Amino acid sequence: MKIRLNPDQELVNTVKAGLAARGNHCPCVREMSDDTLCMCKQFREQIADPEFEGYCHCMLYYKEK
Ligand code: SF4
């Protein structure tokens, strides 16, 4: 299992700017809670799922099996 950044540097910069503007909360969802702090609960659950391979919702990170 490996987590890597999206190779698209422009997208990475955009998402990171969005995170910075929201106190490290996910810029792709409207709600703000402990669950939306990056890495958000949704992606942490995807990381824990041995069957999951793919991007997080914002496409900042990619999980390889
Ligand atoms: S892990 Fe991805 S989807 Fe979750 S908050 Fe961070 S950038 Fe957004």
Side-chain angles (χ1 to χ4, degrees):
M1 198 276 284
K2 193 176 156 192
I3 310 290
R4 60 170 170 80
L5 277 176
N6 191 318
D8 182 339
Q9 190 61 50
E10 204 175 310
L11 183 143
V12 168
N13 292 345
T14 301
V15 176
K16 284 193 169 177
L19 282 164
R22 284 170 54 86
N24 208 39
H25 286 273
C26 187
C28 306
V29 295
R30 223 179 298 165
E31 67 163 294
M32 288 170 89
S33 70
D34 286 350
D35 292 348
T36 64
L37 279 169
C38 191
M39 297 176 172
C40 60
K41 185 179 178 214
Q42 182 187 51
F43 192 50
R44 282 186 271 120
E45 286 174 355
Q46 288 171 324
I47 290 169
D49 178 356
E51 294 307 313
F52 177 82
E53 168 144 6
Y55 283 105
C56 70
H57 186 71
C58 295
M59 296 184 71
L60 178 62
Y61 296 112
Y62 188 90
K63 181 208 166 194
E64 295 174 8
K65 275 190 199 173

